[in-house]
Amino acid sequence: MELYDFEYDGITLSDMGYMVCRFDSGGLQTVSNGSQITFNTVNTLNGKKYELTDSQYTECLKTTFQICKDPCMNSNFEINVHDLRDLMSWLNRKDFHKFKPLGDEYVDFYFESSFNNISKLKFGDMICGLELEMTTNRPFALHEPISIFINNTETNGKKIINDISDEEGYIYPHMEIDIIEDGTFAIHNSLEDRLMEIKNCIAGEKITLDYPIIYSSLPSHKIQNDFNWNWFRIYNTFRNNQNMLTISVPCIIKIKYSPIVKVGI
């Protein structure tokens, strides 16, 4: 992608008076898209075939790019010591923060990252730019959170969720359940034939699931004893992403999750 501006921890590069640039000569580049998978195998038939034992992502996404002062906003291109301190304080952090490339194609995507190596680009004694090495905490990007609202009194106990994640498998979403009538709350996902169940729910109770934590708004409800510990999750396969949900008791459910997006930067 062509990157000219980005937002990091709520502040844009252009807010700081800078732009993404390239100091060396242009040309065709090969850039990793991330999501590199390592396949672990064992050989059979005297090495004629290798059977897959498991697979995993072994590297987080990394990239390097350069920045300089925006000539439309600055008449002096030199990055002095005060400018450098401001940039280092903003970018060189011990924790991962939200990084968003700014552009129409990537408007809904983000990464969680920090800049662990920042190098000065000098022309003589003058610092004219910086080279930023960005490290993320995942091998892929994330989609901005998807929010799903279910009023079970209006849907006759049925709801379809289409998972837009690029990764096969499951995601545990954040989930809030407002119970309207006493009973056993149960939610079944037909795509993987999975049932989550919580017994002894009471009207007016609010149950929150934030994997691996579950809690109730009612201290009297010993929810850990009534939960079957079969966490609700959103699921997809390459051929099917339609999660058909069946819900037991009248309730209002709020679901939020960030689908996986297999793009690099």
Side-chain angles (χ1 to χ4, degrees):
M1 66 171 293
E2 287 293 330
L3 179 66
Y4 300 102
D5 197 5
F6 62 80
E7 179 184 300
Y8 185 65
D9 194 23
I11 301 171
T12 66
L13 184 65
S14 54
D15 287 339
M16 301 289 285
Y18 295 82
M19 61 180 288
V20 179
C21 63
R22 184 179 300 136
F23 283 93
D24 55 357
S25 59
L28 188 65
Q29 298 182 84
T30 299
V31 180
S32 172
N33 194 54
S35 302
Q36 182 175 342
I37 301 172
T38 296
F39 298 99
N40 298 313
T41 60
V42 294
N43 76 76
T44 60
L45 303 174
N46 295 318
K48 295 178 181 177
K49 185 178 181 183
Y50 285 76
E51 301 289 349
L52 181 66
T53 57
D54 71 275
S55 56
Q56 59 187 328
Y57 296 107
T58 54
E59 293 183 2
C60 291
L61 192 63
K62 297 180 181 180
T63 192
T64 300
F65 51 90
Q66 299 169 343
I67 64 170
C68 67
K69 286 190 174 181
D70 187 341
C72 297
M73 302 173 66
N74 300 277
S75 57
N76 182 3
F77 298 150
E78 180 179 5
I79 299 174
N80 62 37
V81 67
H82 301 294
D83 299 329
L84 185 60
R85 289 182 64 189
D86 286 343
L87 290 168
M88 291 295 291
S89 178
W90 174 43
L91 299 172
N92 188 225
R93 314 274 283 275
K94 292 181 180 179
D95 299 313
F96 292 110
H97 296 276
K98 188 174 183 178
F99 174 94
K100 282 183 65 68
L102 299 181
D104 292 341
E105 289 186 321
Y106 283 70
V107 66
D108 291 324
F109 308 156
Y110 70 95
F111 304 82
E112 292 175 337
S113 66
S114 187
F115 296 86
N116 64 322
N117 188 23
I118 298 178
S119 303
K120 294 179 284 188
L121 301 173
K122 300 183 74 173
F123 183 77
D125 293 329
M126 183 181 77
I127 302 173
C128 55
L130 298 177
E131 185 167 273
L132 312 179
E133 182 181 313
M134 186 178 81
T135 299
T136 73
N137 63 352
R138 289 180 172 86
F140 35 67
L142 294 172
H143 195 285
E144 288 287 357
I146 303 293
S147 295
I148 301 163
F149 180 85
I150 305 171
N151 186 337
N152 196 33
T153 63
E154 299 175 352
T155 60
N156 297 317
K158 302 289 185 181
K159 178 68 176 181
I160 295 175
I161 297 176
N162 292 315
D163 182 18
I164 64 170
S165 177
D166 296 342
E167 172 85 340
E168 288 184 289
Y170 54 83
I171 294 174
Y172 294 108
H174 179 86
M175 189 176 189
E176 296 178 356
I177 308 161
D178 291 309
I179 302 297
I180 295 176
E181 290 185 11
D182 295 358
T184 295
F185 172 84
I187 182 168
H188 179 261
N189 188 343
S190 64
L191 184 55
E192 56 173 342
D193 191 20
R194 185 178 178 88
L195 177 70
M196 185 182 84
E197 188 176 76
I198 306 171
K199 298 177 181 178
N200 300 315
C201 297
I202 300 172
E205 179 179 9
K206 182 174 183 176
I207 298 169
T208 302
L209 295 101
D210 194 7
Y211 183 85
I213 298 171
I214 180 173
Y215 52 92
S216 168
S217 62
L218 301 179
S220 59
H221 188 180
K222 304 303 180 184
I223 198 166
Q224 66 273 15
N225 298 326
D226 291 329
F227 182 37
N228 70 347
W229 295 98
N230 211 21
W231 295 85
F232 173 76
R233 57 197 194 187
I234 296 172
Y235 186 78
N236 80 71
T237 69
F238 177 66
R239 300 292 183 187
N240 191 355
N241 71 344
Q242 191 174 87
N243 293 251
M244 171 63 79
L245 309 181
T246 304
I247 305 160
S248 59
V249 297
C251 60
I252 293 174
I253 302 174
K254 299 174 185 175
I255 296 171
K256 182 180 286 188
Y257 79 109
S258 292
I260 291 170
V261 180
K262 288 191 173 182
V263 298
I265 178 173

